[in-house]
């Protein structure tokens, strides 16, 4: 995407598979490093991590005295298959340690709190530590496998030899009620990462006889937010940061979700109780219709008609919702949408504004991936469930009470939320909640990453263009600001990759299976800056098949993911299904 087109852009506005981990990792490394190029001359160069062998495991609980830490178990796990979220991955023999930090009783709600964690340390270690930042409201210690890149990654960090940490970010259940506790808010926002990281490094030192040579922080969604906050707050602790579909402006995005519910309610039918049924506002057939019209107008802009829209910027000018999608003159049957629906969708894609016309959150892009089921679920299901509770308890000062929130439904909370009077509460403080939700949830000085840059650290951000909750346009604008603040040379330490068609962290008609961790390691430890990363579809034979892929696509389709603002363009010859036939321009 050229600079000129970029300016115009803003103006326009799982099945189970098995494989041999060593062979798979070798193939991935070769493929990914082939897409890396460039160097960071003049910047501090970091040497590669050195491997080591596990020295102790079962005795860690009795042999280590870590401040404010209680190790609850430590056991050696044999090599074999590990099943997490329905996917079985062959994993190496490793030491699994579980524990808690900062155990306490909340002074406001009287609930028990602690920062729960698990860390998996392979017997044959590559010398690297990965903090696996988890998504959503956290609240549970998910398996520390290190699946932090694209959908259903075939070589998670543990398989690659990393010691991997996972945590619940300071509260023990994935519900929003922890927002009543001031410290739990801060732990969820950023302090859990700062508390756990030194402990994890000391634990690793006790297990191997040496601390990690290189440390990485990675995650998607709220995990991507954790990563971006970590790049700003904890640059001295990490050599590499990987942030996927980052919700780095999460309080604004969550309140926007409530506003979306209000917009969709204008064109939604009623359910049996007389409440708006948001799923009727725009049906799957209607989203599919809009998607097909986007493809019809924008497919060829990247040089080939292949069912994918790579040139997202040009598409925003080429596609017009009002004129390119038929307007219903009669009943809705999936072949048209009504004028009222067009008005609602135009508003939603432009983003919310207050009564003064001030933008409250960034709009988003028209992309074929809006036909993805994941996109619709964020627009219709999420506002009444996770977003209503999160806003009420975590992103508002003071938080709601359980009694008051329970007296209504999540949908009613969303529909009654005021972008004029309730929205500003994300910036508020009081005597009990002394740090605002906006402050503890977002990266301070987000356009200035000088500490990370100056220590030679590197950062990769990726974002699905059809994300239904966190605006990819917001992330692109952040990168533009980062570039401007760093003399248009931010690419020396931070790079953004947009994934056309991909929904929130995965899904949609997209090449959404890729590994960004290996290129990040190569950049950090070898100075090989990634100019592109090869991504594949999850067709037949993949470890988790993507059922939303168009039938006309090859099950092995691949594409280069390009450093923003470049676009993958067809070379004019070669197999249309192969990444080698495309170049980033």
């Amino acid at each position: 995407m050229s600079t000129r087109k970029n300016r115009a852009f803003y103006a326009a506005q799982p099945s189970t598979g098995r494989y041999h981990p060593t062979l798979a990792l070798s193939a991935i490394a070769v493929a990914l490093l082939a897409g890396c190029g460039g160097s960071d001359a003049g910047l501090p160069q970091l040497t590669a991590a050195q491997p080591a062998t596990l020295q102790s495991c079962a005795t860690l609980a009795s042999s280590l005295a870590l401040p404010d830490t209680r190790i609850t178990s430590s056991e050696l796990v044999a090599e074999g298959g590990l099943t997490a979220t329905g996917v079985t991955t062959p994993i190496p023999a490793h030491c699994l340690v579980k524990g808690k930090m900062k155990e306490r009783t909340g002074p406001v709600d009287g609930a028990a709190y602690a920062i729960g964690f698990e860390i998996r340390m392979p017997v044959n270690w590559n010398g690297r530590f990965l903090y696996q930042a988890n998504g959503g409201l956290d609240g549970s210690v998910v398996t520390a496998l290190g699946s932090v890149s694209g959908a259903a990654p075939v070589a998670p960090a543990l398989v690659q030899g990393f010691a991997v940490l996972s945590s619940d970010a300071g509260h023990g259940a994935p519900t929003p009620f922890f927002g009543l506790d001031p410290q739990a808010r801060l732990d969820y926002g950023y302090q859990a990462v700062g508390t756990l990281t030194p402990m994890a490094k000391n634990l690793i030192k006790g297990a191997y006889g040496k601390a990690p040579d290189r440390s990485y922080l990675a995650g998607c969604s709220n995990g991507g937010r954790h990563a971006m906050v970590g790049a700003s707050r904890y640059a001295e602790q990490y050599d590499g940061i990987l942030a996927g579909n980052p919700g780095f402006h999460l309080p604004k995005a969550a309140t926007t979700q409530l506003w979306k519910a209000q917009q969709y309610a204008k064109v939604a039918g009623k359910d049996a109780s007389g409440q708006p049924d948001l799923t009727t506002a725009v049906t799957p057939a209607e989203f599919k219709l809009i998607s097909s019209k986007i493809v019809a107008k924008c497919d060829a802009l990247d040089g080939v008609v292949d069912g994918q829209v790579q040139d997202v910027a040009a598409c925003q000018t080429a596609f017009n919702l009002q004129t390119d999608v038929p307007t219903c003159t009669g009943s809705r049957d999936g072949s048209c949408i009504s004028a009222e629906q067009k008005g609602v969708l135009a508003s939603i894609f432009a983003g919310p504004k207050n009564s003064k016309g001030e933008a409250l959150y960034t709009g988003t892009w028209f992309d074929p991936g809006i036909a993805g089921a994941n996109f619709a679920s964020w627009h219709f299901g999420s506002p009444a469930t996770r977003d209503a509770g999160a806003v009420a308890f975590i992103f508002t000062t003071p938080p709601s009470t359980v009694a008051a929130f329970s007296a209504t439904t999540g949908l009613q909370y969303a529909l009654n939320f005021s972008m004029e009077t309730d929205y500003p509460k994300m910036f508020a403080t009081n005597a009990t909640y002394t740090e605002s939700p906006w402050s503890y949830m977002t990266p301070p000085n987000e356009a200035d990453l000088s500490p990370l840059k100056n220590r030679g650290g590197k950062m990769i951000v990726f974002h699905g263009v059809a994300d239904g909750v966190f605006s990819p346009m917001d992330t692109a604008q952040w990168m533009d600001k980062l570039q401007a603040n760093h003399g248009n040379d931010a690419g020396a330490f931070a790079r953004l990759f947009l994934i056309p068609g991909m929904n929130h962290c995965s899904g949609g008609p997209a090449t959404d299976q890729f590994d960004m961790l290996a290129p990040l390691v190569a950049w950090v430890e070898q100075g090989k800056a990634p100019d592109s990363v090869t991504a594949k579809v999850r067709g037949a034979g993949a470890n988790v098949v993507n059922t939303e892929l168009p039938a006309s696509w090859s099950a092995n389709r691949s594409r280069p993911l390009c450093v923003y603002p470049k676009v993958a363009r067809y070379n004019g010859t070669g197999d249309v299904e192969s990444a080698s036939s495309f170049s980033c321009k």
Side-chain angles (χ1 to χ4, degrees), residues 522-557:
W523 193 8
V524 166
E525 301 181 21
Q526 301 174 36
K528 297 180 178 179
D531 292 324
S532 68
V533 172
T534 299
K536 297 181 178 180
V537 300
R538 292 179 289 122
N543 59 340
V544 179
V545 173
N546 179 1
T547 60
E548 296 184 325
L549 293 175
S552 60
W553 293 15
S554 165
N556 298 308
R557 172 173 286 194

Side-chain angles (χ1 to χ4, degrees), residues 318-367:
F319 172 74
N320 186 301
L321 177 67
Q322 301 298 331
T323 58
D324 293 330
V325 180
T327 303
C328 297
T329 57
S331 61
R332 290 164 46 186
D333 60 3
S335 65
C336 59
I337 61 174
S338 70
E340 292 78 13
Q341 286 176 296
K342 287 186 177 183
V344 165
L345 286 169
S347 177
I348 286 173
F349 276 79
K353 294 179 174 59
N354 61 19
S355 59
K356 298 178 182 178
E358 299 167 330
L360 302 181
Y361 185 54
T362 315
T364 194
W365 295 323
F366 284 102
D367 175 274

Side-chain angles (χ1 to χ4, degrees), residues 95-241:
C95 179
L96 170 59
V97 176
K98 297 183 179 182
K100 297 179 181 294
M101 291 193 72
K102 302 283 188 179
E103 294 177 275
R104 60 186 178 82
T105 300
V108 175
D109 58 2
Y113 287 95
I115 305 175
F117 68 89
E118 77 170 38
I119 184 167
R120 295 177 183 263
M121 299 176 287
V123 172
N124 297 311
W125 180 45
N126 65 12
R128 303 180 180 99
F129 162 57
L130 176 78
Y131 188 119
Q132 172 187 304
N134 297 316
L137 296 179
D138 284 295
S140 59
V141 182
V142 303
T143 304
L145 189 58
S147 301
V148 294
S149 288
V154 294
L158 181 65
V159 176
Q160 296 188 33
F162 285 74
V164 182
L165 174 82
S166 169
S167 89
D168 60 14
H171 54 278
T175 63
F177 303 128
F178 73 86
L180 294 170
D181 184 78
Q183 183 58 49
R185 285 181 161 207
L186 301 181
D187 286 338
Y188 175 65
Y190 66 95
Q191 289 187 10
V193 173
T195 299
L196 285 165
T197 299
M199 180 280 300
K201 291 182 178 182
N202 284 328
L203 181 58
I204 290 170
K205 184 176 182 179
Y208 295 103
K210 74 164 191 173
D213 295 318
R214 299 289 166 250
S215 297
Y216 297 84
L217 172 61
C220 198
S221 187
N222 178 56
R225 181 198 64 83
H226 277 303
M228 287 192 71
V229 170
S232 183
R233 290 185 179 271
Y234 302 117
E236 77 284 355
Q237 293 286 340
Y238 287 97
D239 304 299
I241 305 288

Side-chain angles (χ1 to χ4, degrees), residues 455-513:
R455 74 180 302 272
K458 302 295 184 285
M459 182 175 187
I460 290 178
V461 180
F462 65 87
H463 207 135
V465 174
D467 190 332
V469 57
F470 300 140
S471 168
M473 186 189 295
D474 194 30
T475 303
Q477 290 180 351
W478 162 79
M479 178 54 75
D480 292 339
K481 294 173 185 175
L482 189 72
Q483 284 281 18
N485 192 60
H486 287 277
N488 293 319
D489 193 34
F493 66 92
R495 299 193 173 193
L496 167 64
F497 295 83
L498 296 177
I499 299 94
M502 191 175 88
N503 292 157
H504 184 64
C505 294
S506 66
T511 50
D512 67 347
Q513 190 163 58

Side-chain angles (χ1 to χ4, degrees), residues 32 312 402 441 467 550:
L32 289 171
V312 182
V402 174
M441 289 299 295
D467 190 332

